[in-house]
Every structure is written in C-alpha cells, then in structure tokens.
Amino acid sequence: MRADTLADALAGAYSNSQLLEQNRALLRAADERVAQAVASLRPVLRYVASAKTQFPKTSSKTIVLTQGLTAQWLVYDFGATAYRTEALKETVLGTREALRDIEQNVLLNAVSAYMNLRRAIETASLSSNNVTLITRELRAANDRFEVGEITRTDVALAQSRLATARSALVEAQGQVADAREFYRFAVGRLPGSLAAPPRAPKTAGSLDAAVAVGLRRHPSILQAQHQVSAAELSVAEAEANRKPKVNLSGTVSRNNVTGGLSKSAGVEMSATLYQGGAQSSLYRAAFANAEAARAELRQATRTVRQGVAEAWTAVQVARASIEASDQRIRAAQVAYRGIREEAALGARTTLDVLDAEQELLDARTSRVTAESQEYVAVYELLSAMGLLTVEHLRLGVKTYDPAAYYNAVKTAPLQTGRGDRLDKVLRAIGQK
C-alpha cells in the first residue's frame, strides 16, 4: 500500500474542507448582491388585483374587481446605484481574498498535522527503542549483581529507569493517537503510513525580499485594499442619495364596472427635504467607515510585515537547532559507547550508562522536533508571504474558480436563456 505523502495531505485538506465550502458559499452570496444592484437599474413590473365593495352602492354590481399592471423605472439618481454596484464589486474582490486567506490556513493546518504525526511516530519509535535498550541494561545489571560486581542499588536504578521509559512510551503512543485525530480533522480522513516529506519549498533569498512579496501578495492586505475602495464608493453613494431621483412610471388597469382600460404614464422626481437628520448621519457614518477601512489597511500591512519577520526567524532558529542537535547526537553517541565500555571494565556505574543513554535519547528526540519545526516554519513563511495556495504549490488538484459563479450572475440573468448557464455552474460546484 502506497504511503501518504504531504501532497496527498494538502490535496485532501483542500478537497474536504467544510470551512472552504462555507466561505465559497459566502462568496457566492456576495456575487448575488452585485446582481441585485444591477437589477435595481431595470424596470420593475408588478401585477395587481383587488376586490372592493362600494358604499353607498352606485351600481348593480356590489363587488368591484380590478386587475392591472404597474411599471416603474429608475432613470436617474445622480449615480447612487452605480456607486453601490461598484462598491459591491469591490466587496466581491475582497471576499475572494478572504477565501484565499482561509485556503492558506487550511493548507497550513494540513502541513502541521502531517509533520506533528510524523514527529509523534518517530518519538514513539525512539521511546520503544529506549525501552528495549534499558531492558537489556537491566538484564546485564542483574547478571553483574549475581556475580557480585554491582550492588542491589544499581539494579534498582535500572528498574526505575525502565519504568520511566515505559511510562514515556505510553505517553508517546498517546501523542500518536492525538496526532492522528488532528490529522483527520485537518485533512478529512485518517492517514495510513506516512512518507518522508519532500524537500521544503523555496521561499525568498532574504528577509527584505520575503517582506516585499508579503506586502504585495498577502490576501489580508489585498482584501483591505478592496475594502477601502468599497468604503470610498459608499461615501459617494451616501452623497448621491441626498439628491433627487427621477422615475418613469406607468399603469394599465381594468375593472368589471366600467369594463374599460385605464392607462397612465408619467415622470416623477422625488427628493427628501427633511428626515430628521438621518441622511446626514448616513453620510457621516459612511465617511467614518472609510477612515476605519484605511486604518485597517495600514494595520494589515504592519501585521503582515511582523508575520513574515517572525516566520523568517523561526526558520533560521529551527535550522540552527537541527545543526546543534546533529552535533549533540554525535557527541552523545561517542560518550555512550565509551561509558558502556568503561562500565564493562568496572570503571563506570550502571547509573553512568543509563545517564549516557538518556542523553542520547534526548538528543535524537530534539533532532526530530527541530526537523518538524523547521518544515512547519517554512510553510508558515510561505503563508506569511501569501504564497501558501494550491496554485502556487502545484498540487495538481481540481481548484475552485471564484470567478465562475460571479461571471454567471453579474448581469442578473433570469431563469431562462443565460439562467441555464447559471444552472450548469451550480451543478459544476455541486450545489444542485
């Protein structure tokens, strides 16, 4: 059976994430708000039917039935609807960036789950080997005790260390079980065996280069930029809403008393002269929201810059830790072999051997942890730079196209003609 690779975990997380599904639906809802704004510039046609009784009666017919059609069409509003439409388009673009940010978090969780499980498995393996070694040392201690080379204290020390090692093994096995469940949560299924991770992807040649990419590509900054544009357009909309509106209207009706058609058509201009200060308040609120959006953009820039710097440092620290662990392992191996030989000659105690063995185990465990931390830190750096996406990683998985639904609904199609195309899009994304 083929072992699961990191690419398998990333592809599974992307395909199975309900968080991504939730936010794709929210994006489609934002797309529909653009369609609703476009539809508000079209004529509105209504059918009206009524039944009334007149008092006093003026004819033999006691019930007056009326049927009619009314039409209304906004023809001019000083650009208020156009501003709202453009603001909603900016909101759609910002929501797409929010979806991309969530995609980064989903993939980063998958990387963490994969590496945490590998670390837990390797740590458990080291703990199992340690139990085997200490068991061997305990047998050797008993043999030496039988011939009088060591005391009962040395045997008790070995027994104590064996109990401690077994306890650590149980704890390590529990961590494996926890890591498997986190893997299932992040990826959407339980793993089989795990393959060794490939070489970590490239990031940037320097911290300054990484920061520059992050400021240009990170979705939180791009989202904030679209929010600023949307907020500024909303200010223009609020200003236009304080001005008059021009509507065309028409009515055609018939009732059962006269039997004839009644027709009317006209142009209506309306303007709100007094509303208790509500319109001025709406304008001030829109202006304040624009200031808040600009501040959010500046804060997003600072946050991304800090995130890139922290991730860059974490990568360097993890690599230095790996190098130090390698040196520690080499020294601990030499010390362990030497102390065992000296113990065989009676120059070292059982405690010395056990301590040297524990030092070697700690060094190897630190190496496993540092390797996992380095790999996760590289992907955290990619995320901080805005590059942790299925497209950039080239995972070869079918990706969600955020523009497909928008292109199908942006002109507010009816359920005929172009509406059929919308049905195809919905079926393609599994919504119908």
Side-chain angles (χ1 to χ4, degrees):
M1 182 177 179
R2 187 177 71 89
D4 289 340
T5 65
L6 179 60
D8 293 333
L10 291 169
Y14 181 81
S15 301
N16 299 326
S17 173
Q18 295 306 305
L19 185 60
L20 283 175
E21 285 298 322
Q22 173 193 356
N23 284 272
R24 287 165 185 165
L26 292 175
L27 174 59
R28 293 193 292 273
D31 295 341
E32 292 291 357
R33 285 191 284 275
V34 175
Q36 293 159 20
V38 170
S40 67
L41 290 173
R42 296 173 181 171
V44 178
L45 184 64
R46 291 187 176 90
Y47 169 76
V48 180
S50 64
K52 299 179 182 178
T53 299
Q54 296 181 342
F55 298 100
K57 297 179 181 180
T58 58
S59 68
S60 59
K61 296 183 178 181
T62 59
I63 303 297
V64 179
L65 301 176
T66 303
Q67 299 180 77
L69 294 174
T70 65
Q72 190 173 31
W73 189 6
L74 175 65
V75 294
Y76 191 68
D77 63 354
F78 287 88
T81 303
Y83 288 133
R84 182 168 70 255
T85 302
E86 292 303 314
L88 290 170
K89 289 180 181 179
E90 291 293 334
T91 300
V92 165
L93 295 176
T95 307
R96 289 182 189 177
E97 295 301 331
L99 177 61
R100 192 161 68 89
D101 202 15
I102 291 170
E103 177 185 337
Q104 290 204 135
N105 292 334
V106 167
L107 295 179
L108 185 57
N109 275 341
V111 173
S112 297
Y114 190 91
M115 296 308 300
N116 286 345
L117 181 54
R118 275 189 55 84
R119 180 183 62 183
I121 291 172
E122 291 181 14
T123 300
S125 177
L126 289 173
S127 295
S128 179
N129 291 338
N130 191 46
V131 169
T132 301
L133 288 173
I134 296 180
T135 300
R136 190 181 304 148
E137 291 295 335
L138 177 58
R139 285 198 297 266
N142 280 320
D143 293 341
R144 294 172 67 190
F145 173 72
E146 292 294 333
V147 298
E149 292 183 3
I150 60 174
T151 66
R152 172 65 65 182
T153 302
D154 293 301
V155 175
L157 283 171
Q159 290 172 337
S160 175
R161 286 294 179 91
L162 179 58
T164 301
R166 285 173 175 167
S167 176
L169 175 58
V170 171
E171 182 179 355
Q173 290 170 340
Q175 290 175 349
V176 171
D178 289 343
R180 283 174 60 83
E181 288 303 319
F182 180 59
Y183 185 99
R184 174 157 60 179
F185 170 78
V187 178
R189 57 176 175 78
L190 282 172
S193 59
L194 299 184
R199 178 175 297 183
K202 294 181 179 180
T203 54
S206 66
L207 174 58
D208 289 341
V211 169
V213 173
L215 296 179
R216 187 174 67 252
R217 297 285 300 275
H218 199 279
S220 65
I221 290 180
L222 299 178
Q223 180 188 8
Q225 290 173 344
H226 290 301
Q227 288 173 339
V228 169
S229 298
E232 290 174 345
L233 287 164
S234 294
V235 173
E237 178 194 355
E239 177 65 24
N241 280 332
R242 302 163 74 176
K243 298 176 181 178
K245 293 179 175 56
V246 179
N247 288 280
L248 294 179
S249 61
T251 304
V252 178
S253 63
R254 179 195 298 272
N255 66 60
N256 64 334
V257 176
T258 64
L261 287 175
S262 174
K263 304 176 183 178
S264 66
V267 179
E268 177 186 86
M269 184 182 75
S270 62
T272 301
L273 300 179
Y274 179 73
Q275 201 177 0
Q279 285 188 324
S280 297
S281 177
L282 289 171
Y283 176 79
R284 293 192 299 271
F287 194 85
N289 285 333
E291 289 183 330
R294 286 188 284 268
E296 184 177 358
L297 173 58
R298 292 191 292 270
Q299 181 63 26
T301 301
R302 291 182 179 181
T303 301
V304 167
R305 188 184 298 274
Q306 178 187 7
V308 172
E310 289 179 349
W312 181 271
T313 300
V315 172
Q316 307 309 312
V317 169
R319 288 174 178 169
S321 180
I322 290 174
E323 183 177 352
S325 295
D326 288 338
Q327 295 174 356
R328 182 183 176 188
I329 289 171
R330 288 193 294 269
Q333 286 175 331
V334 171
Y336 175 64
R337 286 194 296 267
I339 290 174
R340 284 201 65 185
E341 292 175 1
E342 293 171 3
L345 298 174
R348 291 283 187 169
T349 65
T350 300
L351 179 61
D352 293 331
V353 175
L354 294 174
D355 285 344
E357 189 175 25
Q358 184 64 44
E359 174 64 24
L360 180 57
L361 173 65
D362 290 345
R364 287 171 172 166
T365 302
S366 296
R367 176 63 167 77
V368 170
T369 300
E371 184 180 9
S372 176
Q373 289 174 341
E374 184 218 4
Y375 214 86
V376 173
V378 169
Y379 278 89
E380 286 177 342
L381 178 56
L382 279 178
S383 177
M385 295 167 62
L387 299 178
L388 188 54
T389 63
V390 169
E391 180 181 5
H392 182 77
L393 296 177
R394 298 179 180 177
L395 295 178
V397 65
K398 183 179 179 181
T399 58
Y400 180 82
D401 182 4
Y405 189 86
Y406 174 81
N407 291 334
V409 303
K410 63 182 180 181
T411 56
L414 302 175
Q415 282 303 108
T416 57
R418 295 190 65 185
D420 295 337
R421 177 187 169 195
L422 175 57
D423 289 339
K424 292 180 181 178
V425 173
L426 286 171
R427 283 193 292 270
I429 60 178
Q431 301 302 312
K432 289 189 75 172

